[in-house]
């Protein structure tokens, strides 16, 4: 009994920091509709800033002052990021802002490394709260009790701010209906900046508050991000009470999981997440999303047309040059090109899903990594030949996509995105913790191609054929009835249904197809590397693909593979230098600001201005 | 003659709001029936239920005597019902002609085809439909840049793509200039006369209503308060009361302002 | 530091791009440096990778000051793999086919090490896995082309098990990250300890997520089992959290605690004055060496780097020394010659003379086992002794069984 109570208290104490970070993320999403990937970075900054402040501010006053100050400082940094970067891209296609927040992650990682150094910092302990209190004989740290006391205070303050002040009225109004707030004549810009300040301040506060229970290290941004996503999604995006409820739920569940299911804590969290979302696709206290709320904003997409012969000739020539690479390039260039080709296919598959289907998936790595694991498991455990495994990878991933899509497509917009993320994380945690079959962290090693494809050059041709073939097939599909039906379902779902289109089945087909091709890319990947590890299923792999698609340009047909090629090459070049993450992050942010329509979109605009191509339709000009 | 559409005691409640409450009526083939009523009367909700885009709280919709309540929109459409939307719904990322082609492709059950080139499919049929609504000269423009009146006409062309026997038009002339309105209503009346389809339309423009409808239904707060030929409706005291006693003039004015 | 910065590198970037497409491996000529490809997680685990890099740089300076290897200067080409096996594979290809490196070294994370090892086997390149600890590196996934310097998980766990067997503790609880290294470490400890002292009993096993420990809950779960002793494998950011919660809640009071690697400066230093006292740990007590090769290394390193050495510094230094010795012995930079030279290679490193065993390519580098204590506001190891790695490996027959590839 005493133990159970003590465990409950541990869970409640853990919920504190989690709630603060999650409520910040939720708040920002609710008002600005930005999914702030960089929220974990603000949490990390809170920890580092708090640490530094505690070094200079003495005593208990200094300690608590430092915590409050780090909230303030981090909030200001967040507001700065909003003003400098995000404000410029609100009119960009939906969710484009997350590219910018990804750039922020990279920048913060390197800045933190440069400022605070590589060594983990142990958080100072709270003055006067070092001991324990005995609760029914069980030791409970005093600081835990402090956290349990602070969390409701913060939650109440937030509640007061939102329910009882004019600012809160505006925030609530914005959460319900953004247009209305704009119509009320409220300066939406400052409302957004203010929300960012508050959201990031909460993250910073969370980071500083957990110092006495841990410290500051350079990996904590991603560690917390995964957890916070789970909490926000379970609670309901944009719902503060939901964030509170879910952080308590997850924290308490974790504590009991640690004691009674010590091997499966990760899986447990994601199983709960998937279960909740299947039951309530909008989270426990989330609001059903109004259709069209996340509709495409920005300039309308241009109608597509099959490429004319000059472009076809150019592409054919470029492919011929690429195919001849082994004859004129270095041996390494062949390896690099193979990697890029494979990644391009992966990116193109997600791009099809987002571009044609309007379905933003946050968990595409599930199918890339899933395909890789299917192939690797077949080879390593059943001694299946490469040809069969390579076929099984897309089939397995496609079937998985069919199952996941069937469930996830019950929701739409960002909830769909979160459901896909939940499944991807579930798969990742299963692969990680089911070591007997999957090899866990040690992965599956020694999965090399069959003899005929074993040289780097031979494998390059295999990758070239399959990747280019896959990308061309996707492109062909865009110009086929299926592609048009998909865009119809995306542009005007009611109209599509009222002209006989089965929109959900169309989207399911698109999802399965994207999964299949991602699985093919994963199969190619595993034989090119000879091994596969759980990190191919991680969130960051899904993020990579998303970033690439948005950078390439969603409203273009070639954005996927162009973005893939540019990103992968840039990374290959930049990683040779110290502080490359800073450079890459700034580069990404620059692209976001300069070319919110993506690389291909911007290139097209430039070409048009230079008079290189004519407008998509002459009649268009007179309409402006 | 058996009615093409029969609505029996149809209701739809949103929580405490009774958007549509016990509506019954019939529609004969070839008939043009106007459904009028002030904003918020429940007209669009009624259309949504007929088309299968909202499930009724209670009641039935019968098409050719067959109960279609609860069918999804795509199935209702295949049964020969087309609709236009109050807020036009077209595919902004496609050209005008491609919008119509998409509807035709669905009609021919080719929407899952991944091989043929879309551009060549049903192009002539699509052009013929555009010709019908007077949009042929704009076939190559992106739908996203069309003027509002043109969007309405494109919407109509798409609704006509599968040669429906019953056409539902939700405020077909809203937002158009007066001259354009008359033209569109003429056009629709012509198509209806030629193809012999039944039409149910809602409209705030009283000229359109009284000039083209064979019969008028008046809806107020979800309930039908009058049903009869245009002249009778014009004279109906309850209808005038609903429209603040101002008669048809006030009706038209209210529509323009609202 | 000897690193290119982005700015100075930008010029080279263009050249690198051009080279990347068309460049050919530099032909080996007399006087040209002999290049070694070093792949590590410089951005993912900088706290571990940077001291390691400095150790290499110091050794290279020494080697070159003494005339280099085979009369040519030795050069390490450092590349960051972000801790991703897939990246590491590509970089390995680039280093070996474009940079003209003659062999590969590096990796800390075992999964990256295993990926490189598999590639090395396939492409017949020599790979010295300097830091990865996984037993699989040289045993179940072992191959003729992969050698390993650092004492493996099994060896270090065996050292602790030996110490544990001499205490009175009978019931044990373990806590290890839920990841391959953690599992290996617990399995090895159990195996060796049970062999040495059959009456021991393992009463609880805790498996926190790697770098995601819920320390309060873990401590409660361990306390619930009321063990005589605790075997800890958590590391990185998990360790301070575990130590602090455990200390606060009195988990360690009256209990023997055995901590794998917990005595390495990389782990001890962040703990500051909260370092646990009285734990039996493996580690690197650089501060207490006197009058031997270790002491010489420590003072030379402090002069070179301007900071105290970490365990990684020692491993990095020994890596470069091993590579130089192997190439000198091979008399050539051909892969197969280097591989043969590594088999049975004897090298003098600060910790003593080590041998790369012919039977499984594992070096006999050992580790220091001691007890933790506080000194001048920081954790140190006291009563330590150096355990020779050779004494903590299974007998040859077992090793042959564990290593199916040969
Ligand atoms: N999805 C909905 N949820 C709640 N109320 C609705 C919904 N759709 C319509 N209503 C309400 O039903 C009533 C009828 O609306 P509507 O059918 O659009 O009227 P009309 O088309 O006659 O102007 C209105 O009061 C409207 O607010
Ligand atoms: Mg209406």
């Amino acid at each position: 009994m005493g133990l159970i109570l003590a465990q409950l208290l541990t869970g409640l104490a853990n919920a504190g920091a989690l709630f603060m970070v999650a409520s910040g993320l939720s708040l920002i999403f609710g008002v600005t509709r930005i999914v702030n990937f960089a929220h974990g970075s603000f949490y990390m900054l809170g920890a580092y800033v708090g640490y530094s402040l505690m070094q200079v501010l003495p005593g208990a006053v200094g300690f608590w002052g430092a915590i409050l100050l780090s909230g303030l400082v981090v909030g200001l940094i967040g507001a700065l990021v909003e003003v400098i970067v995000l404000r410029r891209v609100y009119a960009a296609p939906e969710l484009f802002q997350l590219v910018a927040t990804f750039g922020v992650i990279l920048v913060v990682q390197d800045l933190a490394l440069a400022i605070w150094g590589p060594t983990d910092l142990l958080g100072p302990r709270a003055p006067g709260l070092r001991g324990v209190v005995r609760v029914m004989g069980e030791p409970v740290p005093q600081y835990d009790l402090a956290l349990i006391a602070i969390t409701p205070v913060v939650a109440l303050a937030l509640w007061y701010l939102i329910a009882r002040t004019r600012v809160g009225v505006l925030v609530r109004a914005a959460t319900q209906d953004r247009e209305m707030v704009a119509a009320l004549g409220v300066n939406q810009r400052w409302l957004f900046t203010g929300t960012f300040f508050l959201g990031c301040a909460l993250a910073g506060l969370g980071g500083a508050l957990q110092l006495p229970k841990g410290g500051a290290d350079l990996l904590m941004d991603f560690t917390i991000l995964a957890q916070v996503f789970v909490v926000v999604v379970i609670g309901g995006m944009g719902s503060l009470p939901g964030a509170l409820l879910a952080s308590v739920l997850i924290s308490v569940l974790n504590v009991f999981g640690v004691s009674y299911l010590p091997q499966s804590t990760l899986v447990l969290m994601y199983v709960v997440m998937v279960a909740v979302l299947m039951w309530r696709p909008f989270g426990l206290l989330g609001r059903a999303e109004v259709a069209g709320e996340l509709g495409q904003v920005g300039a309308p997409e241009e109608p597509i047309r099959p490429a004319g012969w000059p472009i076809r000739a150019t592409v054919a020539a470029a492919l011929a040059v690429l195919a001849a690479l082994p004859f004129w390039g270095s041996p390494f260039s062949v390896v690099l090109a193979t990697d890029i080709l494979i990644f391009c296919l992966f990116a193109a598959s997600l791009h099809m899903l987002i571009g044609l289907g309007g379905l933003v998936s946050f968990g595409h790595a599930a199918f890339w990594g899933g395909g890789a694991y299917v192939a690797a498991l077949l080879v390593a455990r059943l001694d299946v030949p490469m040809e069969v495994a390579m076929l099984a990878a897309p089939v397995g991933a496609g079937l998985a996509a069919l199952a996941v899509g069937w469930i996830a497509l019950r929701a739409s917009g960002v909830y769909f995105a979160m459901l896909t993320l939940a499944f991807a994380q579930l798969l990742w945690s299963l692969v990680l913790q089911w070591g007997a079959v999957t090899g866990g962290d040690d992965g599956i090693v020694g999965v090399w191609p069959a003899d005929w494809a074993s040289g780097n050059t031979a494998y390059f041709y295999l990758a070239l054929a399959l990747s280019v073939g896959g990308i061309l097939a996707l492109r062909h599909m865009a110009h086929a009835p299926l592609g048009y039906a998909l865009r119809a379902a995306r542009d005007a779902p009611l109209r599509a249904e009222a002209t006989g289109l089965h929109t959900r089945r169309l989207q399911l087909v698109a999802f399965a197809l994207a999964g299949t091709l991602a699985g093919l890319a994963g199969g190619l990947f595993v034989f090119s590397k000879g091994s596969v590890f759980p990190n191919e299923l991680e969130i960051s792999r899904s993020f990579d693909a998303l970033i690439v698609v948005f950078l390439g340009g969603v409203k273009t047909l070639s954005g996927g593979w162009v973005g893939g090629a540019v990103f992968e090459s840039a990374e290959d070049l930049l990683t040779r230098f110290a502080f490359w993450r800073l450079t890459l992050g700034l580069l990404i942010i620059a692209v976001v600001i300069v070319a919110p329509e993506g690389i291909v979109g911007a290139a097209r605009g430039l070409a048009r201005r230079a008079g290189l191509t004519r407008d998509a339709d002459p009649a268009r000009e007179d309409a402006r | 003659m058996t009615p093409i559409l029969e609505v029996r005691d149809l209701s739809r409640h949103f929580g405490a709001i009774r958007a549509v409450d016990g509506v019954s009526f019939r529609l004969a083939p070839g008939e043009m029936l106007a459904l009028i009523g002030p904003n918020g009367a429940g007209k669009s909700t009624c259309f949504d239920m007929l088309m299968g885009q909202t499930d009724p709280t209670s009641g039935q919709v019968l098409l050719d005597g067959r109960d279609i309540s609860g069918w999804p929109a795509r199935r209702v459409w295949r049964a020969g019902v087309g609709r236009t939307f109050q807020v036009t719904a077209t595919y902004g990322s496609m050209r005008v002609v491609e919008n119509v082609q998409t509807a035709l492709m669905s009609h021919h059950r080719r929407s899952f085809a991944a091989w043929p080139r879309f551009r060549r499919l049903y192009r002539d049929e699509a052009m013929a439909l555009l010709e019908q609504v007077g949009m042929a000269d704009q076939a190559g423009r992106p739908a996203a840049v069309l003027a509002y009146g043109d969007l309405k006409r494109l919407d109509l062309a798409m609704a006509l793509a599968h040669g429906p026997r019953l056409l539902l038009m939700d405020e077909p002339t809203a937002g158009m200039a007066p001259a354009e309105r008359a033209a569109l209503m003429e056009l629709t009346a012509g198509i209806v006369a030629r193809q012999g389809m039944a039409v149910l339309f809602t409209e705030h423009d009283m000229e359109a209503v009284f000039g083209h409808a064979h019969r008028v239904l008046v809806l107020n707060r979800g309930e039908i308060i009058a049903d009869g030929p245009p002249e009778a409706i014009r004279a109906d005291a309850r209808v005038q009361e609903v429209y603040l006693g101002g008669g048809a003039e006030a009706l038209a004015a209210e529509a323009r302002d609202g | 530091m000897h690193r290119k910065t982005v700015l100075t590198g930008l010029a080279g970037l263009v050249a690198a791009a051009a080279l990347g497409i068309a460049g050919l491996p530099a032909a080996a000529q007399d006087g040209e440096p002999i290049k070694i490809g070093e792949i590590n997680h410089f951005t993912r685990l900088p706290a571990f990778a940077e001291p390691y890099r400095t150790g290499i740089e110091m050794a290279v300076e020494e080697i070159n000051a003494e005339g280099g290897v085979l009369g040519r200067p030795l050069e390490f080409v450092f590349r960051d793999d972000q801790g991703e096996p897939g990246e590491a594979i590509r970089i390995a290809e680039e280093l070996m086919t474009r940079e003209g490196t003659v062999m590969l070294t590096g990796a800390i994370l075992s999964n990256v090490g295993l990926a490189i090892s598999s590639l090395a086997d396939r492409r017949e390149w020599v790979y010295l896995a300097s830091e990865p600890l996984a037993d699989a590196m040289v045993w179940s996934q072992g191959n003729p082309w992969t050698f390993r310097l650092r004492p493996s998980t099994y060896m270090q766990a065996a050292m602790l098990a030996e110490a544990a067997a001499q205490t009175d503790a009978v019931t044990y609880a373990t806590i290890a990250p839920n990841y391959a290294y953690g599992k290996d470490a617990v399995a090895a400890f159990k195996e060796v300890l049970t062999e040495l002292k059959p009456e021991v009993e393992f009463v609880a096993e805790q498996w926190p997520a790697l770098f995601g420990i819920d320390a309060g809950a873990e401590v409660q779960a361990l306390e619930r089992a009321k063990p005589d002793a605790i075997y800890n494998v958590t590391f990185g950011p998990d360790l301070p959290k575990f130590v602090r919660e455990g200390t606060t809640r009195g988990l360690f009071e009256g209990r023997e605690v055995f901590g794998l690697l917990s005595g390495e400066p990389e782990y001890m230093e962040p703990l500051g004055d909260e370092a646990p006292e009285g734990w039996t740990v493996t580690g690197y007590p650089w501060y207490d060496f006197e009058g031997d090769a270790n002491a010489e290394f420590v003072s030379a390193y402090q002069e070179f780097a301007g900071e105290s050495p970490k365990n990684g510094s020692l491993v990095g230094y020994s890596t470069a020394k091993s590579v130089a010795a192997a190439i000198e012995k091979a008399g050539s930079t051909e892969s197969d010659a280097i591989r043969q030279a590594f088999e049975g290679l004897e090298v003098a490193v600060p910790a003593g003379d080590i041998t790369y065993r012919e039977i499984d390519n594992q070096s006999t580098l050992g580790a220091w086992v001691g007890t933790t204590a506080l000194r001048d506001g920081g954790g140190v190891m006291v009563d330590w002794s150096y355990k020779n790695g050779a004494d903590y490996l299974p007998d040859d027959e077992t090793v042959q069984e564990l290593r199916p590839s040969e």
Side-chain angles (χ1 to χ4, degrees), chain A residues 341-353 356 364-372 390-402 463 465-478 482 508-526 545, chain B residues 114:
Chain A
L341 279 167
I342 295 172
F343 189 66
C344 282
L345 177 60
F346 176 43
S349 70
L350 179 66
H351 183 268
M352 182 275 289
L353 193 65
L356 290 185
H364 208 48
F367 309 114
W368 152 271
M390 196 81 100
L391 195 69
V395 171
L399 288 176
L402 212 53
L466 291 178
S467 294
V468 172
I471 292 169
L472 287 179
L474 282 173
R475 200 180 167 88
H476 186 92
M477 194 271 275
L482 181 57
L508 187 58
V509 167
F511 196 74
L513 187 64
T516 305
L517 287 176
L520 177 62
L524 278 168
F525 173 82
V526 75

Side-chain angles (χ1 to χ4, degrees), chain A residues 342 345-346 364-381 384-386 388-398 400 427 431 437-438 443-448 459 514-538 541, chain C residues 85-86:
Chain A
I342 295 172
L345 177 60
F346 176 43
H364 208 48
F367 309 114
W368 152 271
Y373 263 96
V374 167
L377 282 171
L378 284 177
V379 172
R381 306 278 184 264
V384 161
M386 175 191 88
V388 179
M390 196 81 100
L391 195 69
V395 171
L427 188 63
V431 167
V437 172
T438 63
I444 301 173
V445 182
V447 186
W448 294 105
Y459 202 79
T516 305
L517 287 176
L520 177 62
L524 278 168
F525 173 82
V526 75
F527 286 103
S528 80
K529 300 294 179 189
S531 51
V532 62
F533 301 90
N535 65 322
E536 298 308 330
L537 291 159
E538 266 174 17
R541 188 65 75 249

Side-chain angles (χ1 to χ4, degrees), chain B residues 14 17 19 38-45 86:
Chain B
F14 296 106
I17 301 173
N39 274 330
K43 304 181 296 289
S44 294
T45 306
Q86 179 177 350

Side-chain angles (χ1 to χ4, degrees), chain A residues 488 492 495-496 498-499, chain B residues 77 82-84 89-91 94 96-104 129-130 133 143 151-164 167:
Chain A
R495 163 49 82 199
T499 40
Chain B
W77 182 79
R83 86 167 280 187
T84 67
T90 55
Y91 310 134
M94 302 182 197
V96 167
V97 66
E98 290 165 350
N99 270 268
V100 184
Q101 277 175 281
T102 306
L104 284 165
L129 279 161
L130 288 175
V133 299
L151 276 179
K152 285 271 179 193
R153 291 194 285 167
L154 172 57
D155 207 19
L156 177 60
M158 291 166 82
L160 291 172
H162 66 321
L167 180 63

Side-chain angles (χ1 to χ4, degrees), chain A residues 44-380:
Chain A
M44 180 169 86
L45 277 180
Y48 274 112
V49 171
Y51 178 88
S52 293
L53 287 173
M54 285 172 196
Q55 303 303 305
V56 286
L57 301 176
V61 178
F63 175 84
W64 296 105
I67 288 180
L68 286 178
L69 270 178
S70 19
L72 190 71
V73 169
V74 174
L76 287 175
I77 298 175
L80 202 67
V81 167
E82 199 272 347
V83 169
I84 295 178
V85 183
L86 296 172
R87 191 176 269 194
R88 293 162 204 270
V89 286
Y90 284 125
E94 70 175 286
L95 297 181
F96 185 78
Q97 301 84 0
L98 55 81
V99 183
T101 62
F102 187 76
V104 172
I105 293 182
L106 293 174
V107 170
V108 170
Q109 277 176 339
D110 260 357
L111 285 184
L113 173 61
I115 298 173
W116 286 283
T119 313
D120 296 350
L121 302 179
L122 183 67
R125 309 189 68 160
L129 295 174
R130 288 166 158 256
V132 291
V133 175
R134 295 264 160 198
V135 177
M136 297 176 72
E138 297 288 334
V140 176
Q142 289 166 337
Y143 192 70
D144 276 18
L145 294 176
L147 280 178
I148 295 173
I150 291 169
T151 311
V153 172
V154 174
L156 272 177
L158 261 184
W159 170 82
Y160 182 83
L161 182 73
I162 296 211
R164 289 295 151 95
T165 64
R166 180 172 150 71
V167 174
V169 172
L170 293 176
V171 168
R172 260 185 307 150
T175 317
Q176 311 284 323
D177 184 349
R178 280 200 285 172
E179 274 69 44
M180 196 184 85
V181 178
L184 282 174
V186 173
N187 191 333
Q188 191 174 330
R189 295 187 143 210
W190 288 112
L191 182 64
F192 280 22
T193 310
T195 306
F196 239 83
F197 169 80
L198 185 58
C200 294
L202 282 167
L205 209 58
L209 265 178
Q210 63 79 43
L211 277 172
K213 291 181 67 80
D217 62 78
L218 293 165
L219 300 174
M220 61 195 290
D221 49 353
F222 267 94
T223 316
I224 192 86
L225 193 63
Q227 272 193 46
V228 166
F229 266 128
V230 172
V231 165
V232 170
V233 170
I234 289 182
M237 300 283 294
S239 162
L240 293 183
L244 183 59
L245 182 65
S247 18
V248 170
L249 184 78
I250 285 295
S251 302
V252 171
L253 200 76
N254 259 338
V255 170
F256 286 103
V258 161
S259 281
Y260 304 103
L261 285 169
Q263 299 248 33
S264 329
T265 39
L266 271 182
V267 181
L268 186 70
M269 183 160 86
Y270 294 111
V271 166
V272 170
M273 174 173 180
V274 168
V276 167
L277 289 188
M278 282 172 68
W279 168 49
R280 290 182 68 95
F282 306 106
L284 290 176
L285 299 180
R287 194 172 49 97
E289 195 169 290
V290 179
E293 197 166 36
L294 270 158
Q296 301 256 336
V297 282
E301 184 178 334
E302 283 175 26
I304 56 169
R305 63 168 71 220
W309 71 265
I311 295 184
R312 282 171 192 237
T314 315
V315 170
L319 278 179
V321 172
L322 183 59
L325 182 67
F327 301 99
W328 58 269
S330 67
F332 172 67
S333 70
V334 173
V335 174
L336 181 61
T338 306
D339 276 11
I340 294 179
L341 279 167
I342 295 172
F343 189 66
C344 282
L345 177 60
F346 176 43
S349 70
L350 179 66
H351 183 268
M352 182 275 289
L353 193 65
I354 298 178
L356 290 185
L359 298 168
V360 179
S361 163
F362 281 3
H364 208 48
F367 309 114
W368 152 271
Y373 263 96
V374 167
L377 282 171
L378 284 177
V379 172

Side-chain angles (χ1 to χ4, degrees), chain B residues 12 39-40 46 77 91 103 114 130 134 136-138 148 159 167 185 204 226 244:
Chain B
R12 170 75 218 204
N39 274 330
C46 217
W77 182 79
Y91 310 134
L130 288 175
D137 54 331
Q138 309 215 41
Y148 197 65
L167 180 63
M185 283 314 293
H204 283 301
L244 304 169

